[in-house]
Amino acid sequence: MWQVFREHHYLNTERLGAGVRCYIAKYGDKPIAFIAVANVHMKVQYYRVSRLVVLPDYQGIGVGRRLLDFMADLYTRQTKRPFYIVTSNPQLAHGLVNWKVKRFGHGSWGRSNTRINRGLMKANSRGRLTVTLKYVPKIGVPKQ
C-alpha cells in the first residue's frame, strides 16, 4: 500500500524502515492517508511515526492530525510506552492537542556517531528545521 502514498511524501523512498507497522485511513473504500509506526528498542523503548502521508485532495482538513492522534492514543494506552513524531511540517506541528514539544531545531550528528544520529542523517533531517513531539494522553477524560 505504501506505493500509493510514496510519491506524496517528501522522502519518496522505495522502502520503509524494517519492522514498521503500516495503517491506512479510508474515506468510503478509497485510501486517503497512511501512517507507519516504528517500534524503537533502545534503553527506553518507544514508538515513533516513520511516515505520515495524506493524499493531496484530503490535506488541510485534519485527516493527518486525527489519524496521528488516534494511533498515538491507541499505542500509548495499549503498550504504556511513549509515542513520538519528528516533523518539519508547520501545519502538523502547530495545533496538535495532547502533544508536548521535546526538541526543535536542525538535526545533526550530535557529539557521537550513534544509531539515532546516523538515522537523522539518512532521513535528510540534518538540513531541515524539525520538531520532536511526544504524545501525552489526558488521563481520566472520556473520549468523545
Side-chain angles (χ1 to χ4, degrees), residues 30-71:
K30 180 180 178 157
I32 62 169
F34 173 91
I35 191 168
V37 178
N39 185 358
V40 179
H41 296 280
M42 307 275 289
K43 274 187 179 180
V44 175
Q45 294 185 6
Y46 61 93
Y47 293 95
R48 71 169 174 78
V49 175
S50 174
R51 298 285 191 281
L52 176 62
V53 183
V54 178
L55 293 179
D57 288 347
Y58 299 91
Q59 292 176 3
I61 58 173
V63 171
R65 284 189 196 138
R66 291 193 68 185
L67 178 58
L68 179 62
D69 283 344
F70 176 81
M71 296 307 297

Side-chain angles (χ1 to χ4, degrees), residues 84-90 92-94 96 100-107 128-134:
Y84 295 91
I85 185 168
V86 178
T87 184
S88 60
N89 183 333
L92 187 59
H94 176 72
L96 284 175
K100 182 178 179 181
V101 174
K102 299 304 283 184
R103 183 203 59 82
F104 65 92
H106 293 279
R128 293 181 291 112
L129 186 60
T130 60
V131 61
T132 301
L133 302 161
K134 178 183 179 183

Side-chain angles (χ1 to χ4, degrees), residues 5 14-15 18 27 34 38 47 50 53 57 76-77 82 84 94 101 113-117 131:
F5 296 93
E14 281 296 316
R15 297 184 321 161
Y27 180 69
F34 173 91
Y47 293 95
S50 174
V53 183
D57 288 347
T76 56
R77 289 186 190 277
Y84 295 91
H94 176 72
V101 174
N113 185 14
T114 64
R115 186 173 80 165
I116 290 174
N117 288 331
V131 61

Side-chain angles (χ1 to χ4, degrees), residues 19-30:
V20 297
R21 297 193 111 195
C22 301
Y23 306 89
I24 59 168
K26 290 182 172 183
Y27 180 69
D29 290 337
K30 180 180 178 157

